[in-house]
Coordinates of all heavy atoms in Angstrom, one line a residue:
R318 N 157.8 172.0 177.8 CA 157.6 172.8 179.0 C 158.9 173.5 179.5 O 158.7 174.5 180.3 CB 157.1 171.8 180.2 CG 155.8 171.3 180.0 CD 155.4 170.4 181.2 NE 154.3 169.6 180.9 CZ 153.0 169.9 181.1 NH1 152.8 171.1 181.6 NH2 152.1 169.1 180.8
K319 N 160.0 173.1 179.1 CA 161.3 173.7 179.6 C 161.9 174.7 178.6 O 162.8 175.4 179.0 CB 162.2 172.6 180.2 CG 161.7 171.9 181.4 CD 161.5 172.9 182.5 CE 161.1 172.1 183.8 NZ 161.0 173.0 185.0
Y320 N 161.6 174.5 177.4 CA 162.3 175.4 176.4 C 161.3 176.5 176.0 O 160.1 176.3 175.9 CB 162.8 174.6 175.2 CG 164.0 173.7 175.6 CD1 163.8 172.4 176.1 CD2 165.3 174.2 175.6 CE1 164.9 171.6 176.4 CE2 166.3 173.4 175.9 CZ 166.2 172.2 176.3 OH 167.3 171.4 176.8
P321 N 161.9 177.6 175.5 CA 161.0 178.6 174.9 C 160.1 178.0 173.7 O 160.6 177.2 173.0 CB 161.9 179.7 174.4 CG 163.2 179.6 175.2 CD 163.3 178.1 175.5
C322 N 159.0 178.5 173.6 CA 158.1 178.0 172.6 C 158.6 177.9 171.2 O 158.5 176.8 170.5 CB 156.7 178.7 172.5 SG 155.6 178.1 171.4
D323 N 159.3 178.9 170.7 CA 159.9 178.9 169.4 C 160.9 177.8 169.2 O 161.0 177.1 168.2 CB 160.4 180.3 168.9 CG 161.5 180.8 169.9 OD1 161.4 180.5 171.1 OD2 162.3 181.5 169.4
I324 N 161.7 177.6 170.3 CA 162.8 176.6 170.2 C 162.2 175.2 170.3 O 162.6 174.3 169.5 CB 163.8 176.8 171.4 CG1 164.6 178.0 171.1 CG2 164.7 175.6 171.5 CD1 165.4 178.6 172.2
A325 N 161.1 175.1 171.0 CA 160.4 173.7 171.1 C 159.8 173.4 169.8 O 159.9 172.3 169.3 CB 159.4 173.8 172.3
I326 N 159.1 174.4 169.2 CA 158.4 174.1 167.9 C 159.6 173.7 166.9 O 159.3 172.8 166.1 CB 157.6 175.3 167.5 CG1 156.3 175.3 168.4 CG2 157.2 175.2 166.0 CD1 155.4 176.5 168.2
Q327 N 160.7 174.5 166.8 CA 161.7 174.1 165.8 C 162.2 172.7 166.1 O 162.5 172.0 165.1 CB 162.8 175.1 166.0 CG 162.5 176.5 165.2 CD 162.1 176.2 163.8 OE1 162.7 175.5 163.0 NE2 160.9 176.8 163.4
A328 N 162.4 172.3 167.4 CA 163.0 171.0 167.8 C 161.9 169.9 167.2 O 162.3 168.9 166.6 CB 163.1 170.7 169.2
F329 N 160.5 170.2 167.5 CA 159.6 169.2 167.0 C 159.5 169.2 165.5 O 159.2 168.1 165.0 CB 158.2 169.5 167.7 CG 158.2 169.4 169.1 CD1 157.4 170.4 169.9 CD2 158.8 168.5 169.8 CE1 157.4 170.4 171.2 CE2 158.8 168.4 171.2 CZ 158.2 169.3 171.9
K330 N 159.7 170.3 164.9 CA 159.7 170.3 163.4 C 160.8 169.5 162.9 O 160.6 168.6 161.9 CB 159.7 171.7 162.8 CG 159.6 171.8 161.3 CD 159.7 173.4 161.0 CE 159.5 173.4 159.5 NZ 160.5 174.2 158.8
K331 N 162.1 169.6 163.5 CA 163.1 168.8 163.0 C 162.9 167.3 163.2 O 163.2 166.5 162.4 CB 164.4 169.1 163.8 CG 165.1 170.4 163.4 CD 166.2 170.7 164.3 CE 166.8 172.1 164.0 NZ 168.0 172.4 165.0
M332 N 162.3 167.0 164.4 CA 162.0 165.5 164.6 C 161.0 165.0 163.6 O 161.0 163.9 163.1 CB 161.5 165.4 166.1 CG 162.5 165.6 167.2 SD 161.7 165.5 168.7 CE 163.1 165.7 169.8
W333 N 159.9 165.8 163.4 CA 158.9 165.4 162.4 C 159.4 165.2 161.0 O 159.3 164.2 160.3 CB 157.7 166.4 162.3 CG 156.6 165.9 161.5 CD1 156.4 166.1 160.3 CD2 155.6 165.0 162.0 NE1 155.3 165.5 159.8 CE2 154.7 164.8 160.9 CE3 155.4 164.4 163.2 CZ2 153.6 163.9 161.0 CZ3 154.3 163.5 163.3 CH2 153.5 163.3 162.2
E334 N 160.4 166.1 160.6 CA 160.9 166.0 159.3 C 162.0 165.0 159.1 O 162.4 164.6 158.0 CB 161.5 167.4 158.9 CG 160.5 168.4 158.7 CD 161.0 169.8 158.5 OE1 162.2 170.1 158.7 OE2 160.2 170.7 158.0
S335 N 162.4 164.3 160.2 CA 163.3 163.1 160.1 C 162.6 161.9 159.6 O 163.3 161.0 159.1 CB 163.8 162.8 161.6 OG 162.8 162.2 162.4
H336 N 161.3 161.9 159.6 CA 160.4 160.8 159.1 C 160.8 159.4 159.9 O 160.4 158.4 159.4 CB 160.8 160.5 157.6 CG 160.3 161.7 156.8 ND1 159.0 162.0 156.4 CD2 161.1 162.7 156.1 CE1 159.0 163.0 155.7 NE2 160.1 163.5 155.5
N337 N 161.3 159.6 161.0 CA 161.4 158.4 161.9 C 160.2 158.4 162.9 O 159.8 159.4 163.5 CB 162.7 158.6 162.8 CG 162.9 157.5 163.8 OD1 162.3 157.6 164.9 ND2 163.5 156.5 163.4
L338 N 159.7 157.2 163.0 CA 158.4 157.0 163.7 C 158.6 157.5 165.2 O 157.7 158.1 165.7 CB 158.0 155.5 163.7 CG 156.8 155.2 164.6 CD1 155.5 155.9 164.1 CD2 156.7 153.6 164.6
H339 N 159.6 157.2 165.8 CA 159.8 157.5 167.2 C 160.0 159.0 167.4 O 159.4 159.6 168.4 CB 161.1 156.7 167.9 CG 161.0 155.2 167.6 ND1 160.0 154.5 168.0 CD2 161.9 154.4 166.9 CE1 160.2 153.2 167.6 NE2 161.4 153.2 167.0
A340 N 160.8 159.6 166.5 CA 161.0 161.0 166.5 C 159.6 161.8 166.3 O 159.3 162.7 166.9 CB 162.0 161.5 165.6
R341 N 158.8 161.2 165.4 CA 157.5 161.8 165.1 C 156.6 161.7 166.3 O 155.8 162.6 166.5 CB 157.0 161.2 163.8 CG 157.6 161.7 162.6 CD 156.8 161.2 161.3 NE 157.2 162.1 160.2 CZ 156.6 162.2 159.1 NH1 155.5 161.4 158.9 NH2 157.0 163.0 158.1
N342 N 156.7 160.5 167.0 CA 155.9 160.5 168.2 C 156.2 161.5 169.2 O 155.3 162.0 169.9 CB 156.0 159.0 168.8 CG 155.2 158.0 168.0 OD1 154.3 158.3 167.2 ND2 155.6 156.7 168.2
I343 N 157.5 161.8 169.4 CA 158.0 162.8 170.3 C 157.3 164.1 169.9 O 156.9 164.8 170.8 CB 159.5 162.8 170.4 CG1 160.0 161.5 171.0 CG2 159.9 164.1 171.2 CD1 161.5 161.3 170.9
A344 N 157.5 164.4 168.6 CA 157.0 165.7 168.1 C 155.4 165.8 168.4 O 155.0 166.9 168.7 CB 157.3 165.9 166.6
H345 N 154.8 164.8 168.1 CA 153.3 164.8 168.3 C 152.9 164.9 169.8 O 152.1 165.8 170.1 CB 152.7 163.4 167.7 CG 151.3 163.4 167.9 ND1 150.4 164.0 167.0 CD2 150.5 162.7 168.7 CE1 149.2 163.8 167.3 NE2 149.2 163.0 168.4
F346 N 153.7 164.2 170.6 CA 153.4 164.4 172.0 C 153.7 165.7 172.5 O 153.0 166.4 173.2 CB 154.2 163.4 172.9 CG 153.8 161.9 172.8 CD1 154.7 160.9 172.7 CD2 152.4 161.6 172.9 CE1 154.2 159.6 172.7 CE2 152.0 160.3 172.9 CZ 152.9 159.3 172.8
G347 N 154.9 166.2 172.1 CA 155.3 167.6 172.5 C 154.4 168.7 172.0 O 154.0 169.7 172.7

Side-chain angles (χ1 to χ4, degrees):
R318 293 182 194 270
K319 293 299 184 177
Y320 289 92
C322 182
D323 59 326
I324 291 172
I326 287 174
Q327 284 304 312
F329 297 142
K330 185 175 183 233
K331 285 179 187 175
M332 289 177 180
W333 188 263
E334 291 173 345
S335 75
H336 297 284
N337 174 274
L338 175 65
H339 309 306
R341 283 187 161 198
N342 285 342
I343 294 168
H345 182 74
F346 286 138

